[in-house]
Amino acid sequence: HRDLHSFPTRRSSDLSLGALPVWQKLDRLYLLHADPSTNLARLHAIGQARAERGATRRIPLIVRIDDPWYAVAWRAQQAGGSDSRWAADAVGKYEVTARRLLDEIVERGGGATRVLVCGTSPLTLALCADLEQRWREHEFCDGQTDHTLPTITVVADSADEYATDHRHRQQRLGLRSGGEYVDAVSEAPSMATLTRLVGDTRGQGDCAVIFVDADPMFGSAIDPTIATRLAMRFPDVPIFAWSAKAAGAGGE
């Protein structure tokens, strides 16, 4: 991502953006284009325009970066940089979705002890990272919270690679790898595999199942009917499935 995002070029539209006479009056800034390189190019143009107009007041900045790992790296870069013009943070659809899903499971799901994450995508990485953060906060508070936390099991052909990369990423950030919270089942998330895993978990506590979106590079081999079929077999298990045609979050 460094080559793609860290050195944005200034396009003619960005130069025109910097010429607008409003930047010294800016109160806060949100750059929410789906392409992070576009957001960073605009940030560069706006930053230069503010500097040329003598604006020095530090203002809040939100930049959309969907890739959860790149968002973490960009935040760290801003925190350690010398640019005092921005109080910067990043927001991305995968981090937000992961947080809302785990909120639903942990705070309102009735004490699930295991979350089966089916498939691989940036959402898989975001779910693993969010759960690790919750465990760190839980341990820091000596477990004095109003709810218990589950573990995550990634279920996919490349699940071992994702779990290993997640642990390496935690270590690169100077954090404990947390291998006890994220494990892997390197099998396709078929009906037979998920029925077995849900059945095994039910003997040790409750579980929840999340079907992530298709991998942006390789697509997805998950049968789109499995979520519904699994729900028919286990009607008391919370099951969350991604749909490209959904306009919002469903209630069933």
Side-chain angles (χ1 to χ4, degrees), residues 167-235:
R167 296 184 195 114
H168 286 166
R169 179 65 174 172
Q170 296 294 303
Q171 293 171 338
R172 288 283 299 274
L173 294 173
L175 303 170
R176 188 160 56 92
S177 65
E180 64 269 34
Y181 307 136
V182 176
D183 61 5
V185 174
S186 290
E187 301 177 32
S190 65
M191 179 60 71
T193 297
L194 295 177
T195 298
R196 184 188 80 241
L197 292 173
V198 171
D200 290 346
T201 302
R202 287 164 69 89
Q204 307 165 18
D206 295 326
C207 75
V209 183
I210 299 173
F211 291 87
V212 304
D213 53 326
D215 186 296
M217 291 292 293
F218 305 107
S220 175
I222 300 177
D223 183 338
T225 69
I226 286 183
T228 302
R229 291 157 55 204
L230 193 67
M232 291 182 62
R233 296 195 187 192
F234 302 100

Side-chain angles (χ1 to χ4, degrees), residues 116-196:
L116 304 178
V117 177
C118 305
T120 52
S121 86
L123 180 56
T124 307
L125 300 175
L127 285 163
C128 292
D130 192 286
L131 184 72
E132 289 273 4
Q133 179 64 27
R134 290 169 191 256
W135 271 106
R136 285 193 292 272
E137 294 170 357
H138 182 77
E139 292 172 348
F140 180 79
C141 296
D142 294 324
Q144 302 300 314
T145 57
D146 296 332
H147 46 259
T148 59
L149 292 176
T151 60
I152 277 181
T153 298
V154 181
V155 186
D157 289 327
S158 57
D160 277 323
E161 294 180 11
Y162 267 67
T164 299
D165 288 343
H166 163 72
R167 296 184 195 114
H168 286 166
R169 179 65 174 172
Q170 296 294 303
Q171 293 171 338
R172 288 283 299 274
L173 294 173
L175 303 170
R176 188 160 56 92
S177 65
E180 64 269 34
Y181 307 136
V182 176
D183 61 5
V185 174
S186 290
E187 301 177 32
S190 65
M191 179 60 71
T193 297
L194 295 177
T195 298
R196 184 188 80 241

Side-chain angles (χ1 to χ4, degrees), residues 8 20-21 30 37 52 85 87 101 140 153 156 188-189:
L20 294 174
Y30 299 87
S37 63
E52 290 167 1
R85 293 172 297 179
L101 285 169
F140 180 79
T153 298

